[in-house]
C-alpha cells in the first residue's frame, strides 16, 4: 500500500495516537502533558515529551519501559509513513546539508530525488572542473563513499542512495555506520569523488539528514549545493516531478565494504601533523594509575571508533581508567537531545570528581561525531574554550600558523592569535567556509562554537575524534588538565565569557522560513545600527565600534564585548550570541550574561517588528 496523498499518513498517525493514549492512561500526569499533541497527531512532539518526562523524573523501571515502548511505537509509525509517503518538500541545503523530519519532509521517495539531484550535479562543469575531472566517467570510476550515523531508518536511506548511484553506474565505497570526520578522511584516502552521509548531526530523534562532500572531503559549498537544490526541487515540484520513478537497480556488483576504522587509524598514524598517536598511547598507559577518562558516545556512530584509534592493547591496558558510556543502540537517545551540552556534560563531570584521580578528561561526541565537548573534574569546556586551549598548545610547542573560527565563536582564540601576531580568519557559520584556510596550511586550528573542530593536516571536515586526540595531546605535552591550561591562558590574554540564546519559530513552513529570515537579516545588517551608535546593555550604554556582517549582524563594542544575531542554518530559529570581555575576572558573570541576552532578544525583536 502506498500513500498517494497525506490522508493515509494522517490515518496511521491517528491510529498510533490512540494506542499511545490508551497505554499512557497508566501515567495520567504524562498523558495530560501530551494530550494536545496526540489530538493533533503531532507524534514526534509527543515522543520528545515522553522522553523528556522519563529522563527528568525518577521513574520506576516499569514506567521507563512503558515510555520507551510508546516512543518505539511512534517511531515505527512515522517510519511507515516515511517509507510510503509521496508528499514532496522544498530541499534546502543549510549550514550542513539537507535536514528534515522523518515522515514529514524526509521520506524515502524524497531521498531518491535528492540523491538523483546530487548525481546530476556531479555531471555539471561546476563539479567536474572544481574536482579536476575531465568527464563524468571519471566520477563513476572514482566512486562515492556512502555512510550514516546510527539514526532511525539510516539503512533504508542508504539503500535508496545506493540504488540511485548504481543506476548511474557509480562505484560505491560502503562504510556503514561511520562518523562524519572519518567519512571525510575516507574520501581523500580512497581518492573518491565525494561522499553521501545520512545524518542530521545533533538534531533530536525526529530528524534525518543528508550531507554531500566533494573529492577534497570538505563540506560542499554553495556553488554545488545550489545546483543540488535546483535539481532536487525540480523532481519535487518541477516539470519532471510527475515522471519521477525511484531507481531499483541492484548495487551489489558496484559496492565495496570498507574497514572505515582501520583506514582512519592508519591515516592518523601516518599523516597526522598536530598529534602523535604513538606517544599519546604510551602516555595513557604510563599515567593510567592517575587517570580517569570518560567517553560518552551518545548512542552514536563513534562507538567502536575511539577504541580502534586508541588500540585494543591500550584500551585493555587502561582497564577501569577509561569508561565508555551510551554504546548501545537507542534511536531516542535515552530521552535527551543528543548534543554535547552543559546539561548533558554534568553527569560526566560527576564521574570525574568521584574518581579522585589527578588527570581527568570527559568527552561527549554527538551522533555523527562531528561535534565534541570536553570537561575535567573542575570545568565544563565547550569549543569556545577548547579552541583557545588547542591553538595555544600548538603555538607553545613549536607550531606556527593562524586561527580560523566563525563569527559567533568566542574571540578568545582570536585574541591569542592577534597578540602573537598570527593570521586570523573570522568566517560565517559552516565548516565549508574553512576550506581555504585549512587546505592552504595557513591555520593550525579551525573551529566553531557549535563544538566542531579540525586541524592542520587533518580533514577539511569537523571531526570529534581529532578533537579528542588533540585534548590528550595538549595534556600530554603540558602535563596539565584542560582547566589548568585554560586558567593560565586567561591570566595571560584576558577573560572572555561567551553565551547564546535563541527564539524558535513554530508552525512555519520551509518556504516561509526562507523568505522571513532573509527579511529579518536584511534589517539587522543594514537598517538598525552602524558604527558610532549606542546600545543599552543592563543599563549601561555601549558604543558600537564595528558592525560585522560576515554572518548575520555582529555588534562589536569598545571593550571587545559583542552581540551577534543570525538565523539558524538548520532549523527555523533565530539565534543571538554574545560575549563579555574583561581584563580581569568578573565575579558576577551570570548577571552580565543575562543583560547581554536580554539586549540580544530586544535587538532581534526590534528587527522582527519591522518585517511587514
Amino acid at each position: 500500500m502506498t500513500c498517494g496523498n497525506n490522508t493515509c499518513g494522517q490515518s496511521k498517525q491517528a491510529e498510533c495516537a490512540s494506542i499511545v493514549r490508551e497505554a499512557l492512561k497508566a501515567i495520567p500526569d504524562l498523558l495530560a502533558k501530551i494530550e494536545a499533541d496526540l489530538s493533533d497527531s503531532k507524534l514526534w512532539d509527543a515522543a520528545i515529551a515522553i522522553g523528556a518526562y522519563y529522563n527528568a523524573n525518577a521513574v520506576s523501571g516499569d514506567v521507563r519501559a512503558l515510555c520507551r515502548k510508546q516512543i518505539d511505537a511512534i517511531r515505527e509509525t512515522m517510519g511507515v509513513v516515511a517509507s510510503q509517503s509521496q508528499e514532496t518538500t522544498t530541499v534546502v541545503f543549510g549550514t550542513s546539508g539537507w535536514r528534515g523530519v522523518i515522515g514529514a519532509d524526509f521520506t524515502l521517495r524524497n531521498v531518491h530525488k535528492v540523491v538523483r539531484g546530487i548525481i546530476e550535479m556531479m555531471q555539471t562543469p561546476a563539479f567536474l572542473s572544481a574536482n579536476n575531472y575531465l568527464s563524468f566517467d571519471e566520477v563513476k570510476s572514482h566512486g562515492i563513499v556512502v555512510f550514516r550515523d546510527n539514526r532511525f531508518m539510516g539503512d533504508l536511506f542508504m539503500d535508496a542512495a545506493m540504488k540511485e548511484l548504481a543506476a548511474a553506474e557509480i562505484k560505491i565505497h560502503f562504510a556503514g555506520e561511520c562518523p562524519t570526520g572519518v567519512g571525510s578522511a575516507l574520501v581523500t584516502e580512497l581518492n573518491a569523488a565525494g561522499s553521501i552521509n545520512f545524518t542530521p548531526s545533533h538534531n533530536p530523534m525526529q530528524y534525518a539528514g543528508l550531507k554531500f562532500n566533494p573529492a577534497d572531503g570538505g563540506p560542499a559549498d554553495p556553488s554545488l549545493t545550489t545546483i543540488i537544490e535546483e535539481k532536487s526541487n525540480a523532481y519535487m515540484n518541477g516539470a519532471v516531478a510527475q515522471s519521477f520513478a525511484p531507481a531499483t537497480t541492484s548495487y551489489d556488483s558496484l559496492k565495496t565494504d570498507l574497514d572505515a576504522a582501520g583506514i582512519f587509524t592508519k591515516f592518523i598514524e601516518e599523516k597526522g601533523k598536530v598529534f602523535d598517536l604513538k606517544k599519546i598511547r604510551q602516555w595513557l598507559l604510563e599515567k593510567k594509575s592517575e587517570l580517569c577518562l570518560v567517553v560518552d558516545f551518545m548512542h552514536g556512530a563513534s562507538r567502536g571508533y575511539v577504541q580502534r584509534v586508541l588500540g585494543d592493547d591500550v584500551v585493555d591496558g587502561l582497564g577501569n581508567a577509561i569508561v565508555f558510556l551510551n554504546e548501545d543502540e537507542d534511536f531516542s537517545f535515552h530521552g535527551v537531545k543528543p548534543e554535547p551540552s552543559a546539561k548533558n556534560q554534568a553527569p560526566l563531570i560527576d564521574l570525574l570528581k568521584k574518581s579522585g584521580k589527578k588527570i581527568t578528561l570527559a568527552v561527549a561526541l554527538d551522533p555523527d561525531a562531528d561535534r565534541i565537548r570536553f570537561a575535567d573534574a573542575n570545568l565544563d569546556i565547550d569549543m569556545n574554550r577548547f579552541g583557545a586551549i588547542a591553538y595555544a598548545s600548538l603555538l607553545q610547542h613549536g607550531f606556527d600558523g593562524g586561527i580560523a573560527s566563525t563569527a559567533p565563536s568566542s574571540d578568545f582564540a582570536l585574541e591569542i592569535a592577534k597578540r602573537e601576531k598570527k593570521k586570523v580568519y573570522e568566517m560565517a557559520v559552516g565548516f565549508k567556509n574553512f576550506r581555504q584556510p585549512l587546505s592552504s596550511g595557513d591555520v593550525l586550528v579551525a573551529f566553531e562554537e557549535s563544538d566542531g573542530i579540525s586541524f592542520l593536516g587533518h580533514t577539511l571536515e569537523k571531526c570529534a575524534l581529532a578533537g579528542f586526540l588533540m585534548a590528550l595531546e595538549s595534556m600530554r605535552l603540558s602535563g596539565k588538565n584542560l582547566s589548568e591550561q585554560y586558567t593560565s591562558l586567561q591570566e595571560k590574554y584576558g577573560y572572555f565569557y561567551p553565551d547564546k540564546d535563541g527564539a524558535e519559530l513554530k508552525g512555519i513552513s520551509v518556504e516561509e522560513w526562507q523568505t522571513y529570515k532573509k527579511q529579518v537579516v536584511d534589517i539587522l545588517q543594514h537598517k538598525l545600527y552602524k558604527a558610532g551608535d549606542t546600545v543599552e546593555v543592563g543599563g549601561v550604554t555601549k558604543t558600537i565600534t564595528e558592525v560585522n556582517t560576515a554572518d548575520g549582524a555582529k555588534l562589536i563594542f569598545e571593550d571587545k564585548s559583542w552581540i551577534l544575531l543570525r538565523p539558524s542554518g538548520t532549523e527555523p530559529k533565530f539565534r543571538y550570541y554574545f560575549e563579555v570581555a574583561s581584563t580581569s575576572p568578573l565575579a558576577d558573570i551570570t548577571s552580565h550574561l543575562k543583560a547581554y541576552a536580554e539586549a540580544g532578544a530586544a535587538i532581534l525583536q526590534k528587527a522582527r517588528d519591522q518585517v511587514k
Side-chain angles (χ1 to χ4, degrees):
M1 179 180 177
T2 299
C3 295
N5 55 51
N6 203 35
T7 303
C8 178
Q10 289 174 343
S11 174
K12 291 181 182 299
Q13 292 179 64
E15 180 181 350
C16 179
S18 179
I19 294 171
V20 171
R21 183 182 292 108
E22 184 65 28
L24 290 183
K25 285 181 178 179
I27 316 175
D29 59 329
L30 173 57
L31 181 58
K33 289 177 183 291
I34 67 170
E35 179 58 48
D37 290 331
L38 294 177
S39 297
D40 292 339
S41 291
K42 296 178 180 177
L43 293 185
W44 282 124
D45 289 344
I48 291 171
I50 294 169
Y53 176 85
Y54 76 70
N55 193 62
N57 296 283
V59 301
S60 68
D62 289 344
V63 169
R64 179 185 175 88
L66 178 61
C67 288
R68 291 286 294 273
K69 184 177 181 180
Q70 305 322 303
I71 293 175
D72 289 345
I74 290 170
R75 190 177 58 241
E76 294 302 322
T77 296
M78 296 310 297
V80 171
V81 175
S83 297
Q84 298 180 349
S85 175
Q86 295 191 37
E87 291 294 307
T88 62
T89 187
T90 298
V91 176
V92 176
F93 271 67
T95 305
S96 187
W98 167 52
R99 299 183 190 181
V101 174
I102 297 171
D105 39 9
F106 211 99
T107 67
L108 272 181
R109 187 176 179 86
N110 288 345
V111 165
H112 275 277
K113 293 177 179 180
V114 174
V115 175
R116 186 85 57 89
I118 290 171
I119 292 168
E120 292 184 1
M121 178 277 297
M122 291 191 295
Q123 300 176 50
T124 65
F127 178 83
L128 295 174
S129 61
N131 291 276
N132 299 313
Y133 295 126
L134 296 177
S135 70
F136 184 59
D137 285 337
E138 291 186 54
V139 174
K140 292 194 283 187
S141 63
H142 281 264
I144 294 295
V145 179
V146 177
F147 60 106
R148 63 169 176 86
D149 67 10
N150 68 322
R151 297 280 181 149
F152 178 56
M153 293 190 73
D155 286 333
L156 291 175
F157 293 141
M158 286 194 301
D159 177 74
M162 290 189 289
K163 286 175 179 174
E164 293 293 337
L165 292 171
E169 302 179 330
I170 298 172
K171 184 178 179 181
I172 298 166
H173 307 282
F174 182 72
E177 184 178 307
C178 175
T180 287
V182 173
S184 178
L186 294 177
V187 171
T188 55
E189 290 301 282
L190 297 170
N191 197 24
S195 66
I196 293 174
N197 173 16
F198 287 97
T199 176
S201 190
H202 64 293
N203 280 29
M205 72 172 90
Q206 73 267 40
Y207 280 90
L210 187 159
K211 299 180 182 180
F212 175 80
N213 288 22
D216 64 6
D221 64 27
S223 68
L224 300 182
T225 58
T226 52
I227 300 174
I228 298 172
E229 290 173 351
E230 176 189 347
K231 302 288 188 182
S232 302
N233 287 322
Y235 286 119
M236 295 292 174
N237 301 297
V240 295
Q242 294 299 319
S243 61
F244 179 83
T248 58
T249 309
S250 172
Y251 47 75
D252 291 346
S253 63
L254 290 166
K255 174 173 166 278
T256 301
D257 292 338
L258 303 175
D259 175 14
I263 295 170
F264 183 73
T265 301
K266 185 177 180 181
F267 166 71
I268 294 292
E269 290 173 334
E270 297 180 355
K271 298 183 179 180
K273 292 185 177 181
V274 300
F275 25 70
D276 188 321
L277 187 52
K278 182 178 179 180
K279 290 181 178 178
I280 289 172
R281 290 165 171 163
Q282 292 173 341
W283 176 78
L284 286 170
L285 291 175
E286 289 169 1
K287 298 294 183 180
K288 68 176 182 179
S289 64
E290 307 171 67
L291 175 70
C292 180
L293 178 59
V294 178
V295 181
D296 184 357
F297 295 114
M298 290 191 162
H299 311 284
S302 59
R303 54 189 181 179
Y305 281 84
V306 169
Q307 293 92 324
R308 287 287 299 276
V309 169
L310 292 181
D312 291 341
D313 290 346
V314 173
V315 173
D316 292 342
L318 288 174
N320 294 333
I322 188 166
V323 178
F324 298 115
L325 301 176
N326 297 316
E327 294 182 86
D328 60 312
E329 189 86 270
D330 185 351
F331 297 129
S332 303
F333 307 107
H334 65 273
V336 303
K337 184 177 180 181
E339 62 180 355
S341 65
K343 181 179 179 181
N344 290 338
Q345 204 81 335
L348 310 187
I349 296 174
D350 285 342
L351 287 175
L352 297 180
K353 289 180 177 179
K354 291 174 181 176
S355 75
K357 299 296 185 178
K358 178 182 177 182
I359 305 170
T360 58
L361 175 67
V363 294
L365 303 87
D366 77 335
D368 72 316
D370 68 345
R371 300 178 182 227
I372 184 170
R373 193 177 180 111
F374 311 82
D376 61 22
N378 297 310
L379 185 66
D380 175 30
I381 301 164
D382 63 8
M383 193 56 71
N384 279 325
R385 288 170 167 153
F386 183 74
I389 293 169
Y391 181 59
S393 177
L394 292 172
L395 290 181
Q396 290 165 7
H397 293 94
F399 288 88
D400 185 26
I403 185 78
S405 72
T406 53
S409 302
S410 170
D411 284 353
F412 190 21
L414 304 189
E415 180 69 12
I416 294 172
K418 291 173 183 176
R419 295 268 286 273
E420 299 299 333
K421 296 180 170 54
K422 307 299 181 183
K423 282 187 178 180
V424 168
Y425 294 84
E426 190 173 13
M427 325 291 284
V429 170
F431 233 76
K432 58 194 174 188
N433 298 308
F434 291 142
R435 176 177 274 105
Q436 188 279 324
L438 274 174
S439 60
S440 68
D442 283 347
V443 301
L444 299 176
V445 181
F447 76 95
E448 52 187 6
E449 63 81 32
S450 55
D451 296 316
I453 194 166
S454 193
F455 302 92
L456 174 72
H458 197 63
T459 71
L460 299 184
E461 180 66 270
K462 51 194 172 188
C463 179
L465 295 174
F468 172 59
L469 293 176
M470 188 67 240
L472 295 175
E473 182 76 338
S474 70
M475 293 166 67
R476 179 185 75 83
L477 290 170
S478 68
K480 297 179 180 179
N481 284 319
L482 296 182
S483 62
E484 297 173 275
Q485 297 178 54
Y486 184 69
T487 298
S488 296
L489 293 176
Q490 287 180 304
E491 292 170 352
K492 183 174 181 179
Y493 295 104
Y495 296 80
F496 292 77
Y497 304 94
D499 206 346
K500 62 183 176 181
D501 208 330
E504 186 175 357
L505 278 70
K506 295 282 190 181
I508 187 170
S509 70
V510 173
E511 296 81 4
E512 290 169 336
W513 168 240
Q514 298 307 311
T515 300
Y516 184 66
K517 72 178 182 180
K518 288 178 182 178
Q519 293 173 327
V520 175
V521 169
D522 180 64
I523 291 168
L524 287 169
Q525 291 182 331
H526 306 296
K527 300 176 182 178
L528 285 188
Y529 297 103
K530 62 183 182 302
D533 289 346
T534 60
V535 175
E536 291 293 315
V537 181
V540 178
T541 301
K542 297 282 186 178
T543 300
I544 299 170
T545 58
E546 179 186 353
V547 179
N548 182 335
T549 58
D551 192 348
K554 184 174 183 177
L555 311 181
I556 304 170
F557 307 123
E558 72 281 2
D559 62 356
K560 297 182 181 179
S561 299
W562 52 265
I563 298 172
L564 180 145
L565 304 101
R566 61 177 292 275
S568 168
T570 58
E571 53 190 323
K573 187 174 187 177
F574 285 106
R575 302 186 188 278
Y576 38 97
Y577 306 77
F578 40 93
E579 182 163 58
V580 182
S582 175
T583 56
S584 59
L586 295 176
D588 187 16
I589 187 57
T590 301
S591 63
H592 287 279
L593 292 174
K594 181 181 179 182
Y596 274 77
E598 291 173 348
I603 294 168
L604 175 61
Q605 190 58 52
K606 186 176 180 179
R608 293 181 65 183
D609 287 344
Q610 293 190 30
V611 175
K612 295 183 172 55

